[in-house]
Amino acid sequence: MRKITILEFMTLDGVMQAPGGREEDPSAKFDFGGWQAPYVDDLLNEVTKKELEASVEYLLGRKTFEIWADYWPKHADIWPGINGGMKYVLSATMKETDWENTTFIKSVEDIKKLKESDGPDIQVWGSSKLVQLLLENDLVDELRLMTYPLILGEGKKVFADGAAPSAFKLLESKTGTSGVIVAWYKRAGKVKTGVMSA
């Protein structure tokens, strides 16, 4: 069975929309595109470089796919793996693209079949609605979150109501010079509750 890992750049209030540039995703009149740039430091460059070199396949939502399909084929020197790696795109409307190594899927059942198939592990970048769907259906094995020290108050969020209750174990965390916290979490079974003693 393949592992599904969520990777997100996000703010303290969970916003993940358009971290890389002002025009990346201005939907819903989002006015903070490019919020990540002032915080890039050596740790973030190191972590990102490692992820870009991973031998994985990718699961993307339609919006993220459309943004990436316009950008990454022209920038293969930065991330060769995203062009060569298989990309599975969850969409009810899209059926074809010129971007190589892309397959369209339509449902949670398709994702479950993909997860249960043989092959490399799967990474999900961006794709807020897809991430929420995966969390709702308890299909996330790991979270790799890069949390930036700012609050935006608006924008697409990583987390939403409706996620399946689930526990995660912190595997590792690091803090960069800019205050960004990088944390890796692994699925750790069901949520446990108790009573705090005095």
Side-chain angles (χ1 to χ4, degrees), residues 161-177:
D161 290 346
S166 50
F168 285 81
K169 177 182 179 181
L170 179 65
L171 298 178
E172 185 179 2
S173 65
K174 297 179 180 180
T175 304
T177 56

Side-chain angles (χ1 to χ4, degrees), residues 106-116 137 139:
K106 294 184 177 181
S107 67
V108 171
E109 288 307 311
D110 289 338
I111 296 173
K112 289 178 179 178
K113 289 177 184 176
L114 179 62
K115 183 173 172 53
E116 292 167 2
N137 288 275
L139 293 172

Side-chain angles (χ1 to χ4, degrees), residues 55-189:
S55 297
V56 295
E57 294 184 343
Y58 305 92
L59 176 61
L60 304 170
R62 180 192 57 80
K63 182 68 175 180
T64 295
F65 175 77
E66 288 179 334
I67 294 168
W68 284 23
D70 185 55
Y71 182 84
W72 284 116
K74 305 168 191 172
H75 298 84
D77 56 319
I78 301 172
W79 193 2
I82 194 59
N83 290 311
M86 180 59 70
K87 295 164 285 293
Y88 300 94
V89 183
L90 181 66
S91 174
T93 56
M94 292 188 74
K95 296 180 180 178
E96 58 183 38
T97 179
D98 292 332
W99 197 6
E100 62 181 344
N101 300 316
T102 300
T103 297
F104 294 97
I105 58 177
K106 294 184 177 181
S107 67
V108 171
E109 288 307 311
D110 289 338
I111 296 173
K112 289 178 179 178
K113 289 177 184 176
L114 179 62
K115 183 173 172 53
E116 292 167 2
S117 67
D118 293 329
D121 287 337
I122 299 165
Q123 288 187 350
V124 181
W125 294 66
S127 308
S128 61
K129 294 295 184 185
L130 171 59
V131 168
Q132 292 168 10
L133 183 69
L134 293 170
L135 290 168
E136 180 182 337
N137 288 275
D138 200 11
L139 293 172
V140 177
D141 299 290
E142 291 189 5
L143 295 165
R144 297 183 189 171
L145 305 177
M146 286 143 277
T147 306
Y148 289 67
L150 74 163
I151 292 173
L152 296 182
E154 62 179 61
K156 296 176 181 178
K157 300 284 183 79
V158 175
F159 302 104
D161 290 346
S166 50
F168 285 81
K169 177 182 179 181
L170 179 65
L171 298 178
E172 185 179 2
S173 65
K174 297 179 180 180
T175 304
T177 56
S178 66
V180 178
I181 299 172
V182 180
W184 292 264
Y185 300 90
K186 180 180 180 180
R187 187 74 166 82

